[in-house]
Protein backbone atom coordinates (compact mmCIF):
# COMPACT_ATOMS: atom_id res chain seq x y z
CA UNK A 1 0.00 0.00 0.00
CA UNK A 2 1.31 3.45 -0.87
CA UNK A 3 1.85 5.94 1.88
CA UNK A 4 0.85 9.57 1.44
CA UNK A 5 4.45 10.77 0.91
CA UNK A 6 4.83 8.48 -2.12
CA UNK A 7 1.48 9.61 -3.52
CA UNK A 8 2.45 13.28 -3.15
CA UNK A 9 5.84 12.63 -4.81
CA UNK A 10 4.24 10.81 -7.75
CA UNK A 11 1.57 13.49 -8.10
CA UNK A 12 4.23 16.19 -8.22
CA UNK A 13 6.00 14.47 -11.11
CA UNK A 14 2.92 14.55 -13.35
CA UNK A 15 3.14 18.24 -14.33
CA UNK A 16 6.89 17.94 -14.89
CA UNK A 17 6.44 14.99 -17.22
CA UNK A 18 3.57 16.67 -19.03
CA UNK A 19 5.51 19.89 -19.54
CA UNK A 20 8.40 17.92 -21.06
CA UNK A 21 6.00 16.22 -23.46
CA UNK A 22 4.24 19.47 -24.28
CA UNK A 23 7.57 20.98 -25.34
CA UNK A 24 7.78 18.37 -28.10
CA UNK A 25 4.49 19.44 -29.70
CA UNK A 26 5.21 23.02 -30.61
CA UNK A 27 4.74 23.04 -34.36
CA UNK A 28 1.43 24.54 -35.38
CA UNK A 29 -0.96 22.27 -37.25
CA UNK A 30 -1.46 23.42 -40.81
CA UNK A 31 -4.74 23.47 -42.70
CA UNK A 32 -2.82 22.87 -45.94
CA UNK A 33 -3.03 19.51 -47.65
CA UNK A 34 -0.20 17.20 -48.58
CA UNK A 35 -0.39 14.13 -50.86
CA UNK A 36 1.20 11.95 -48.16
CA UNK A 37 -1.71 12.59 -45.76
CA UNK A 38 -4.09 10.40 -47.77
CA UNK A 39 -1.36 7.81 -48.18
CA UNK A 40 -0.70 7.50 -44.41
CA UNK A 41 -4.30 7.85 -43.12
CA UNK A 42 -4.84 4.05 -43.27
CA UNK A 43 -1.89 3.64 -40.86
CA UNK A 44 -3.83 5.15 -37.94
CA UNK A 45 -7.16 5.06 -36.14
CA UNK A 46 -8.59 6.57 -32.93
CA UNK A 47 -7.48 3.33 -31.23
CA UNK A 48 -3.83 3.77 -32.26
CA UNK A 49 -1.78 2.44 -35.14
CA UNK A 50 -3.35 0.01 -37.56
CA UNK A 51 0.06 -1.23 -38.74
CA UNK A 52 3.41 -1.86 -37.12
CA UNK A 53 5.58 1.22 -37.44
CA UNK A 54 8.97 1.87 -35.86
CA UNK A 55 8.84 3.89 -32.62
CA UNK A 56 11.37 6.71 -32.52
CA UNK A 57 13.26 7.07 -29.24
CA UNK A 58 14.44 9.58 -28.29
CA UNK A 59 11.95 11.95 -29.86
CA UNK A 60 13.26 13.64 -33.01
CA UNK A 61 13.47 17.41 -33.09
CA UNK A 62 10.46 18.42 -35.15
CA UNK A 63 11.22 22.12 -34.90
CA UNK A 64 12.25 24.17 -37.89
CA UNK A 65 11.45 23.65 -41.52
CA UNK A 66 8.51 21.31 -41.70
CA UNK A 67 4.77 21.10 -41.27
CA UNK A 68 2.37 19.05 -39.19
CA UNK A 69 -0.72 17.79 -41.05
CA UNK A 70 -3.84 16.29 -39.47
CA UNK A 71 -4.10 12.53 -40.13
CA UNK A 72 -6.96 11.64 -37.82
CA UNK A 73 -8.64 12.60 -34.55
CA UNK A 74 -10.12 10.77 -31.58
CA UNK A 75 -13.62 10.69 -33.00
CA UNK A 76 -16.10 9.44 -30.39
CA UNK A 77 -13.41 7.47 -28.52
CA UNK A 78 -13.01 9.18 -25.12
CA UNK A 79 -9.39 8.08 -24.61
CA UNK A 80 -8.51 7.83 -28.27
CA UNK A 81 -5.53 9.11 -30.18
CA UNK A 82 -4.99 12.06 -32.48
CA UNK A 83 -2.46 11.54 -35.23
CA UNK A 84 -0.48 14.05 -37.25
CA UNK A 85 1.94 13.66 -40.11
CA UNK A 86 5.18 15.62 -39.90
CA UNK A 87 6.85 16.31 -43.24
CA UNK A 88 10.12 18.23 -43.29
CA UNK A 89 10.51 21.13 -45.70
CA UNK A 90 12.65 19.05 -48.05
CA UNK A 91 10.27 16.06 -47.76
CA UNK A 92 13.04 13.72 -46.60
CA UNK A 93 11.90 13.34 -42.97
CA UNK A 94 8.40 11.91 -42.47
CA UNK A 95 6.98 10.92 -39.09
CA UNK A 96 3.61 10.10 -37.54
CA UNK A 97 2.99 11.88 -34.22
CA UNK A 98 0.49 10.20 -31.88
CA UNK A 99 -0.99 12.10 -28.94
CA UNK A 100 -3.68 10.94 -26.52
CA UNK A 101 -4.79 7.78 -24.82
CA UNK A 102 -5.54 7.24 -21.15
CA UNK A 103 -2.44 9.05 -19.87
CA UNK A 104 -2.11 11.52 -22.73
CA UNK A 105 0.97 9.89 -24.21
CA UNK A 106 3.12 11.36 -26.95
CA UNK A 107 4.84 9.02 -29.42
CA UNK A 108 6.61 9.51 -32.71
CA UNK A 109 6.82 6.78 -35.36
CA UNK A 110 9.20 6.71 -38.29
CA UNK A 111 11.09 7.77 -40.21
CA UNK A 112 8.61 6.68 -42.83
CA UNK A 113 9.23 5.81 -46.44
CA UNK A 114 6.97 7.77 -48.82
CA UNK A 115 6.56 4.57 -50.86
CA UNK A 116 5.05 2.74 -47.86
CA UNK A 117 1.47 1.57 -48.37
CA UNK A 118 -0.64 0.90 -45.27
CA UNK A 119 -3.71 0.05 -47.32
CA UNK A 120 -2.37 -3.34 -48.44
CA UNK A 121 -0.89 -4.62 -45.17
CA UNK A 122 -2.62 -6.67 -42.51
CA UNK A 123 -3.55 -4.56 -39.47
CA UNK A 124 -1.37 -5.00 -36.39
CA UNK A 125 -4.26 -5.15 -33.90
Amino acid sequence: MMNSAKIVALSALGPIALSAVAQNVTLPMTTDTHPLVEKFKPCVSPFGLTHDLPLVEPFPNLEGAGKLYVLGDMGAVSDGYKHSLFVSGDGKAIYIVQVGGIAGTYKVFGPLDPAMDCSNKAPSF
Side-chain angles (χ1 to χ4, degrees), residues 2-122:
M2 288 187 130
N3 64 29
S4 60
K6 286 182 183 176
I7 293 171
V8 170
L10 290 174
S11 299
L13 291 175
I16 294 168
L18 288 175
S19 65
V21 168
Q23 291 171 3
N24 289 310
V25 189
T26 58
L27 277 176
M29 198 73 68
T30 183
T31 57
D32 297 341
T33 58
H34 193 284
L36 291 177
V37 169
E38 290 304 315
K39 184 172 194 69
F40 286 105
K41 270 188 180 184
C43 297
V44 301
S45 82
F47 301 104
L49 297 178
T50 60
H51 296 75
D52 291 329
L53 299 175
L55 179 64
V56 179
E57 289 184 319
F59 297 132
N61 182 3
L62 300 181
E63 302 288 331
K67 289 186 178 180
L68 215 51
Y69 301 90
V70 175
L71 271 183
D73 62 18
M74 298 184 316
V77 180
S78 62
D79 289 327
Y81 294 99
K82 289 193 267 186
H83 294 92
S84 305
L85 184 70
F86 172 82
V87 180
S88 65
D90 62 5
K92 293 182 180 178
I94 304 166
Y95 297 97
I96 289 178
V97 179
Q98 176 181 279
V99 180
I102 294 171
T105 60
Y106 173 87
K107 294 180 181 178
V108 178
F109 300 93
L112 303 174
D113 181 348
M116 182 181 165
D117 185 6
C118 286
S119 65
N120 65 3
K121 288 181 161 182

